[in-house]
Amino acid sequence: NGGNSPQPSLEESKVDAANELVTIYSTSNNFKIEAKAIALSDGYLGERISVRNQESNKVITARVVGYGLLSLN
């Protein structure tokens, strides 16, 4: 037997897990800001999830754009 199962694509793979440290960012024409946050739920590519900003302790929603990376834009 020994057939390899196909690996799920990035879109199908969980890229953020609840309670993981992630980087959130926002960009504009002239600047980019980044901050560290804690994911409050699992997230898949393109999905919006809630995160808690480590500095302000505020809960915000951001879009998953990569492993451990979320965009506020």
Side-chain angles (χ1 to χ4, degrees):
N1 191 325
N4 291 338
S5 2
Q7 292 295 319
S9 69
L10 186 60
E11 289 82 13
E12 298 167 333
S13 298
K14 188 184 334 175
V15 292
D16 290 302
N19 300 313
E20 270 188 6
L21 184 64
V22 296
T23 300
I24 54 175
Y25 73 91
S26 180
T27 57
S28 181
N29 290 342
N30 299 322
F31 67 92
K32 177 179 180 177
I33 56 170
E34 290 186 357
K36 294 294 183 186
I38 300 294
L40 299 181
S41 64
D42 294 348
Y44 295 85
L45 194 65
E47 186 177 25
R48 295 188 74 79
I49 64 170
S50 294
V51 296
R52 182 180 309 277
N53 182 306
Q54 281 198 302
E55 290 183 25
S56 68
N57 218 27
K58 289 184 179 179
V59 175
I60 55 177
T61 302
R63 184 172 44 89
V64 178
V65 294
Y67 289 102
L69 189 61
L70 293 95
S71 172
L72 297 173
N73 299 88

